[in-house]
Every structure is written in structure tokens, then in C-alpha cells.
Amino acid sequence: TDFIEQTLSAPENAEESALRPLSFSDFAGQDKTLERLKVMVGAARDRGEPLNHILLSGPPGLGKTTLSLILGNEMGTKVNITSGPVIDKPADLAGLLTNLNEGDILFIDEIHRIPKTVEEYLYSAMEDFRIDIMIDQGPNARSVRLNLPRFTLLGATTRMGLLTAPLRSRFTLQTRLNYYSHSVLQGIIERTCGILEVPFEPAGAAEIARRARGTPRIANNLVNFCRDYAQQRGNGTITQTSAAAALELLEIDQRGLDEMDKQVMRVMAENYRGGPVGLGTVAVAVGEEAHTLEEVHEPFLIQEGYLQRTAQGRVLTEKGWHVIGLEPKGGAQA
Ligand code: ATP
């Protein structure tokens, strides 16, 4: 099974919750997004008003949920967490909205997966804090207006491109989270080791940071495995050597690439001469779901320059060919 994919899709356990930063000052990296949020929070607090609606986008595991909880803490309001696919019909949305108190944050994860029939109700809720809902059917059908408390909608999405323009335009701020640099990740890893009371050498933390795909959630999971490994196969301290050996055992290489990443690139090279090829085709060939490839593997491969997205399909770059030991369009590397 795929460690990376599992890590990103598993629900959070108690130990992970203990690692969550609770305030702006605990949160490392994402400087631009953080500065934008601080400005909005400061202004809303000064005016004594609820925060305006905010849309966070970016690959999974970069801290969208964490930021929503931080915004709640910084504003001193409650955060109600839900997700797009759960809001099945307009009545579900009405139920959520009418349960909010003035100033509350409604966090909708995977907001791009809200059904279209529900999405339209969100427009007036966000804009005018009211919702007109149809009750009854046939000749008795009538529309009832519900007034809502002034709330903050915090949307999160891994797929900004799938959001409709009318929904997007109703957010005051749209901000994107990016993969973290190795040095920021190293800081996060050292903080995690501190909280979990795991002995580590900075070089060990750096080794994990290089292989964590710029993703704090993955970094924290790797720390856990590296801790186990150091206890069982080393002297209990996460050193560079023990971390490297642990990550080899998980088949995560020095660049943070896992077996699935490499399989994707090999299929593209060997079966499709490097592309262009459709993602669905690659997904079938490697036996993985297309949306997992699209949300987890592809963004990292693109960011690292192994893959390109073109109108015709996905294309392996020269760097991509070389990382799997091949020369572009066939032939082994010398
Ligand atoms: P998803 O999109 O899958 O919900 P996410 O982007 O919301 O993921 P989080 O669940 O917020 O990601 O973050 C995962 C974990 O990573 C958190 O539990 C937290 O411990 C850690 N983390 C995230 N961002 C940071 C950060 N900037 N500094 C320190 N730790 C962080």
C-alpha cells in the first residue's frame, strides 16, 4: 500500500491533534497567506465584525484545517467543521447555517464537492445572510425566508479549478497554500520531536524534511516511523543514518518520491513515450484512482519539475525521464 496516500487520507488521531499549532505564532511558513489572514483578522477585530469569507486552496496536508482552527482561536469564535460531499441537499445546508451563532466560522472542506443544487443556496447565505428555501411540494409548495446570523464561510479545496466562478467570487480572500521549503519543514519536524519527546539530531530532522514532499502532515508521520525505527534498529535517537534507513524501508527516496510516483513516470515513459497521455489512462495502468493521482501525486511531480500538464495531456519532462534512469523517448541512461 501507498504510505503517502494513506497518510493523507487517514483521519487524524489524538497524537496528531496534539501537534496542531493553535495560534498564528505557532504556525510555520506560508508567509504570504499568514500575513493576509493576520490583516483580515486584525481589521475584523478592530471593527468588532465577523471575519469576511475566505477560500483556502492547495494540496492535502498543508494546513488548511489547522488554519481554520487558528482563525477561530484568533477571532475567539467557534469553528464548525463539515465537508462538501456531506451537504447533500439544501435542507442540510439550511440546518448547518441556522445552527450558527453570530461570528461563527463554518469550515467546509472539499468545498468543490458541494452538489450544484446546494451551491446556489450558498450564494445568498454568503452575500445577504439569508436563505430562501422551498418547503412542501405540489400546490402547497412555498418559499420560506430564513435570516441567518452573520457568519464566516471558510472554504477549503484541493482543486481550485473545479470551483464555479459565482462561488469563487463570493470570497473576499482566495489564498493558496504552497509546499513548504525544506528548512521550514525541518523546523516543524524539530517542534514535533520536542512535543513527542523524541531525541533527534538536526541532521536527522533535515533528512526527514528532504523526503517529506513539502508536506507537514507527511513530515509528522515520518517522524513517527523514524522514532519507531530508531528505537528498534538504532539507539533511540533520530540520526541522519537511522532516518535515511527508515525512509528507505518505506520506499521513500532521497527526493521524497515513493513507488507510486515512480510507477506513474515509468508507465508514461515505457507505454506512452513520455506522453502526452491522459491522467485516466495512467491511473488504470498503475491501478490507482485518478483523483488520488490528481490530488496527491501529480501536484508534487509538477512542482518538482518531473511532469508537465498540457492541453493534450500529461508529459514527462527530461528531469522526469532521468529520475527513473531513462533517456527521453527510449534507451537507458549511460
Ligand atoms: P487536508 O487538506 O487533508 O484537510 P490540511 O491541509 O487541512 O489537510 P492539516 O490537517 O491542517 O492539513 O495539517 C496536518 C498536520 O500538519 C496538522 O496536524 C499539523 O500538526 C501539521 N501542520 C500543518 N501545517 C503546519 C504548520 N504550518 N506548522 C506546523 N505544523 C503544521
Side-chain angles (χ1 to χ4, degrees):
T1 55
D2 187 359
F3 177 87
I4 302 289
E5 205 259 315
Q6 252 182 27
T7 294
L8 292 172
S9 59
E12 195 177 64
N13 61 35
E15 197 167 62
E16 280 171 335
S17 324
L19 300 175
R20 256 188 211 290
L22 298 175
S23 66
F24 280 142
S25 54
D26 279 348
F27 192 90
Q30 309 295 348
D31 298 352
K32 279 215 181 87
T33 287
L34 220 55
E35 181 62 9
R36 292 168 186 159
L37 296 177
K38 283 178 183 168
V39 166
M40 285 180 69
V41 165
R45 288 212 313 225
D46 284 350
R47 291 196 302 263
E49 288 174 4
L51 200 59
N52 286 323
H53 307 308
I54 298 169
L55 181 63
L56 302 170
S57 67
L62 299 191
K64 295 186 289 292
T65 308
T66 302
L67 277 176
S68 78
L69 297 171
I70 289 177
L71 286 172
N73 286 339
E74 298 281 348
M75 288 296 297
T77 58
K78 192 162 167 256
V79 183
N80 300 265
I81 298 186
T82 182
S83 93
V86 172
I87 312 173
D88 212 24
K89 38 190 194 312
D92 298 338
L93 180 68
L96 282 169
L97 292 172
T98 49
N99 268 316
L100 297 174
N101 292 309
E102 185 85 10
D104 275 3
I105 293 175
L106 178 64
F107 178 69
I108 306 185
D109 203 4
E110 299 191 81
I111 195 167
H112 61 275
R113 293 180 62 192
I114 280 198
K116 287 285 155 295
T117 48
V118 176
E119 182 178 314
E120 286 168 19
Y121 289 87
L122 210 44
Y123 300 162
S124 66
M126 292 174 75
E127 226 163 51
D128 308 319
F129 302 102
R130 63 174 168 70
I131 181 168
D132 294 307
I133 193 159
M134 291 297 284
I135 58 168
D136 248 334
Q137 284 173 349
N140 294 325
R142 59 200 184 281
S143 163
V144 175
R145 171 162 302 181
L146 302 170
N147 289 314
L148 304 172
R150 287 201 56 185
F151 70 101
T152 301
L153 183 68
L154 205 56
T157 180
T158 47
R159 305 283 304 282
M160 186 65 122
L162 294 185
L163 240 67
T164 64
L167 181 56
R168 240 190 284 178
S169 69
R170 283 172 170 83
F171 290 96
T172 303
L173 175 70
Q174 301 169 25
T175 189
R176 191 184 154 75
L177 303 193
N178 300 306
Y179 288 112
Y180 292 69
S181 69
H182 292 172
S183 66
V184 172
L185 268 189
Q186 184 176 340
I188 292 174
I189 289 163
E190 293 182 356
R191 173 180 174 274
T192 297
C193 289
I195 295 172
L196 302 180
E197 300 181 11
V198 187
F200 69 95
E201 288 174 0
E207 187 64 36
I208 300 176
R210 273 195 292 277
R211 301 187 188 214
R213 307 168 76 92
T215 307
R217 184 110 168 248
I218 293 175
N220 285 342
N221 265 276
L222 294 179
V223 167
N224 259 306
F225 188 77
C226 288
R227 166 175 66 174
D228 292 351
Y229 190 91
Q231 273 173 17
Q232 295 300 307
R233 298 285 180 266
N235 63 4
T237 298
I238 298 182
T239 62
Q240 180 165 13
T241 318
S242 75
L247 298 174
E248 287 307 324
L249 187 56
L250 291 178
E251 296 183 321
I252 297 171
D253 80 3
Q254 280 121 325
R255 304 168 194 85
L257 296 173
D258 72 353
E259 273 312 298
M260 184 52 70
D261 297 319
K262 289 184 183 161
Q263 231 175 302
V264 165
M265 291 191 277
R266 270 186 229 118
V267 161
M268 290 180 67
E270 287 162 8
N271 303 7
Y272 300 96
R273 298 176 57 85
V277 54
L279 191 79
T281 310
V282 176
V284 172
V286 299
E288 180 56 281
E289 301 217 23
H291 80 94
T292 301
L293 290 190
E294 195 150 20
E295 284 172 23
V296 175
H297 297 277
E298 184 180 72
F300 182 67
L301 293 175
I302 290 175
Q303 136 101 16
E304 299 292 295
Y306 300 115
L307 218 70
Q308 261 172 0
R309 221 169 167 160
T310 70
Q312 286 76 39
R314 275 63 173 183
V315 178
L316 204 57
T317 64
E318 204 175 311
K319 193 176 168 190
W321 281 90
H322 287 160
V323 81
I324 50 170
L326 296 174
E327 280 301 324
K329 304 272 191 298
Q333 213 181 333

